[in-house]
Amino acid sequence: METLVWVVHIIVSVAVIGLVLLQHGKGADMGAAFGSGSSGSLFGATGSANFLSRSTAILATLFFLTSLGLAYFGLQQHKPDSVLDLTAAPAKSGQPAVPVPAQNSGSKAADIPQ
């Protein structure tokens, strides 16, 4: 199942890259200001987006879903230990759970190397 999600993820990512490179920016539509604005849209002048931008949005959604799926599979393979298990393990072996600081001689002048 994880391999299938990887394959879909790679195909979708390449498709998103291709669709983004195929699209042109807003500055390239200077002719739209002079009355030819409806020529590039899928649903005419009232349409909210053309075919390429809708396809990009759908593929981006699929990319995010496959990313979440891969994160889920990665978490299932490497389950983190419980915090309680981590703190209880050293106490069972005879070592203190919290390290004890070294005793200081009390004089700050004795701690400075000369």
Side-chain angles (χ1 to χ4, degrees), residues 3 7 15 18-19 22 24 26 33 41-42 50 52 59-60 62-64 73 77 81 83 102-103 106 110:
T3 305
V7 169
L19 282 176
L22 282 176
H24 56 279
K26 296 277 185 189
S41 63
L42 183 62
N50 62 15
L52 289 176
L59 287 176
L62 285 173
F63 180 80
F64 286 127
F73 286 129
Q77 288 179 358
D81 293 333
V83 175
Q103 296 294 328

Side-chain angles (χ1 to χ4, degrees), residues 1-56:
M1 183 70 176
E2 183 181 359
T3 305
L4 177 68
V5 176
W6 268 110
V7 169
V8 171
H9 187 72
I10 291 171
I11 291 171
V12 167
S13 63
V14 170
V16 167
I17 291 169
L19 282 176
V20 168
L21 290 176
L22 282 176
Q23 295 180 28
H24 56 279
K26 296 277 185 189
D29 284 336
M30 287 309 244
F34 300 108
S36 64
S38 64
S39 63
S41 63
L42 183 62
F43 300 109
T46 60
S48 62
N50 62 15
F51 176 73
L52 289 176
S53 62
R54 288 181 188 266
S55 301
T56 305

